[in-house]
Amino acid sequence: MNVTLRQLQAFIAVAELGRFHLAADHLGLTQSAISILIKDLEVALKHRLFDRHTRMVSLTTAGAEFLPQARKVMSDLEIAVANVHELASLQRGRVTIAAAIVLAATLLPPVIARFVKRYPDISVQVRDMPEEEIRSALKRNEADLGIGTVSADDPEIQASVLMRDQLTLICRSDHRFAKARQVSWASLAGEGLIGLAKDNPLRGLVDRALIASGVEVKTRYEVRFSTTAISMVAEGLGIAILPENSRQLTTNVDVRIVELVDPVISRNISILQYRQPMLSPAAAKMKEFLMGASRKLS
C-alpha cells in the first residue's frame, strides 16, 4: 500500500476544513494538487473517503473511520520528529562511557562535571571496568564510548588519542628504590612484581619492556585492578609498574612513585568507539568534551 504523508495531510485538511480550496490554501498547494492527492489516497485504500457536493465535501463512512487513524499517524510523526530535534539539540539524551578503573577515577569525573553543568538534561552513565573488557562492551552496544588503551589493531574499533602517559614504578616507602628519582628497567632484576592480568593491555606493554631490557622479574601476584596492586605494594608484597596517572590513587597509602627510564615507556590513552553505529548527538558532544580536556592537560 503506497500511502504518503502528503496524502494524509491533504485528507485531514479537507476533512477538517470541508472544502478543497481551503485545504489547498492551508497547505500551500493548488486545488488540483489536493484533488490528485485525495484521489490517489482513495485508490490506495480502495474506498471513497468523501462525498462531493457542489460547494462542500463530507466524509463517507470509510472516511470517518479513517480520520482518527490518520490524525494519530501524523501526531505520532510530529512527536517522533520533535524527539529527534531534542536529541540533536542536546535537550535530552544519554551517553554511556566504559572506562578503565584508574581513568574512571581520575580523568572522567571533572569532564563529566563540566558536561552535565552545560547539558543538565543529558544522562551520563559510567561503567568502570578492566581495560580488557572495554572493546567487548562497545561491540555489544553496552557503551557509546570507551576510555583506555588499545593493545592491538581492531578493525571494528576506532581509537582517537587523548593523551600519553608514562609507565612508572610504585614501591613501598621503605623499599630500596623509594628515595631514587629515577630507576632503570635493568635495575628491576630480581624484584617481585605485582602484575596486572595477562589480558590487560598494560600487562603486555610491561612484559615487552622487561623482555627488551633483558630483565628477569618474577610476577608474584596477578590482579585485575590497579588499586589492588597499589594496596599490595603498600603491604610490602612487591613492586608494581603502572601508568603515571595512577599517582592520584596513592595519596592514602605509604608508597612512592619513581620514574622508570632507560627506556622511558609510554602508552596512548584513547577514546574508543565501535565503528559500525554513528555516535548519538550526546555521545558526540561528550567525545568533544573529552578531547577538549586532553588538550588542556597536554
Side-chain angles (χ1 to χ4, degrees):
M1 185 178 295
N2 187 22
V3 174
T4 68
L5 293 175
R6 203 57 156 163
Q7 291 168 354
L8 293 181
Q9 287 178 318
F11 167 70
I12 293 170
V14 173
E16 292 179 345
L17 298 173
R19 296 180 180 177
F20 277 72
H21 75 275
L22 293 179
D25 291 342
H26 177 69
L27 295 178
L29 299 173
T30 64
Q31 185 169 334
S32 61
I34 292 291
S35 298
I36 292 171
L37 288 169
I38 297 300
K39 181 180 178 180
D40 290 344
L41 179 60
E42 290 176 328
V43 170
L45 296 177
K46 298 180 181 178
H47 277 284
R48 188 162 48 85
L49 300 174
F50 293 103
D51 285 324
R52 277 78 166 172
H53 306 290
T54 304
R55 295 185 178 179
M56 298 286 293
V57 294
S58 60
L59 289 167
T60 63
T61 301
E65 185 171 331
F66 185 61
L67 180 59
Q69 301 303 319
R71 283 173 171 157
K72 184 177 187 306
V73 169
M74 296 306 299
S75 176
D76 288 346
L77 177 63
E78 289 173 1
I79 292 172
V81 170
N83 287 343
V84 172
H85 285 166
E86 286 183 2
L87 290 172
S89 60
L90 300 173
Q91 295 178 39
R92 65 180 181 86
R94 175 175 177 168
V95 56
T96 301
I97 308 169
I101 302 294
V102 175
L103 297 173
T106 57
L107 172 67
L108 271 185
V111 177
I112 292 174
R114 289 194 294 272
F115 184 87
V116 297
K117 184 177 181 180
R118 176 66 179 82
Y119 301 104
D121 296 321
I122 302 294
S123 171
V124 180
Q125 305 293 323
V126 177
R127 297 194 59 199
D128 46 353
M129 60 180 62
E131 292 214 27
E132 61 270 22
E133 296 181 6
I134 293 176
R135 287 189 295 175
S136 296
L138 291 171
K139 293 178 182 180
R140 291 193 301 266
N141 292 319
E142 295 173 357
D144 303 294
L145 299 170
I147 309 293
T149 303
V150 180
S151 57
D153 290 337
D154 187 330
E156 294 184 294
I157 298 296
Q158 176 182 327
S160 303
V161 176
L162 273 176
M163 63 186 74
R164 290 181 65 82
D165 69 350
Q166 181 179 330
L167 292 185
T168 58
L169 173 72
I170 298 181
C171 63
R172 203 162 83 157
S173 61
D174 58 359
H175 191 278
R176 65 188 179 101
F177 294 142
K179 294 183 179 181
R181 188 176 66 85
Q182 295 179 332
V183 172
S184 68
W185 287 82
S187 65
L188 301 182
E191 290 289 334
L193 184 66
I194 300 168
L196 298 175
K198 289 182 180 179
D199 52 358
N200 188 303
L202 287 175
R203 171 64 181 271
L205 191 62
V206 170
D207 286 349
R208 289 191 295 273
L210 290 170
I211 292 171
S213 300
V215 179
E216 288 191 16
V217 174
K218 181 179 179 181
T219 300
R220 290 181 179 172
Y221 305 97
E222 288 187 359
V223 299
R224 298 192 72 192
F225 305 123
S226 300
T227 48
T228 306
I230 292 170
S231 295
M232 293 179 74
V233 169
E235 294 300 324
L237 296 173
I239 63 170
I241 300 172
L242 296 172
E244 60 185 331
N245 86 329
S246 301
R247 182 186 303 272
Q248 298 181 55
L249 305 178
T250 65
T251 55
N252 295 323
V253 288
D254 191 19
V255 300
R256 297 290 182 269
I257 310 294
V258 184
E259 185 181 5
L260 271 173
V261 296
D262 298 328
V264 172
I265 304 293
S266 299
R267 60 137 182 189
N268 287 334
I269 298 174
S270 300
I271 301 177
L272 310 176
Q273 65 188 83
Y274 190 27
R275 288 185 183 275
Q276 186 169 337
M278 184 176 69
L279 288 178
S280 69
K285 182 57 68 172
M286 174 58 78
K287 181 178 180 180
E288 182 182 315
F289 265 61
L290 286 164
M291 296 299 292
S294 73
R295 287 191 290 270
K296 292 178 181 178
L297 293 173
S298 58

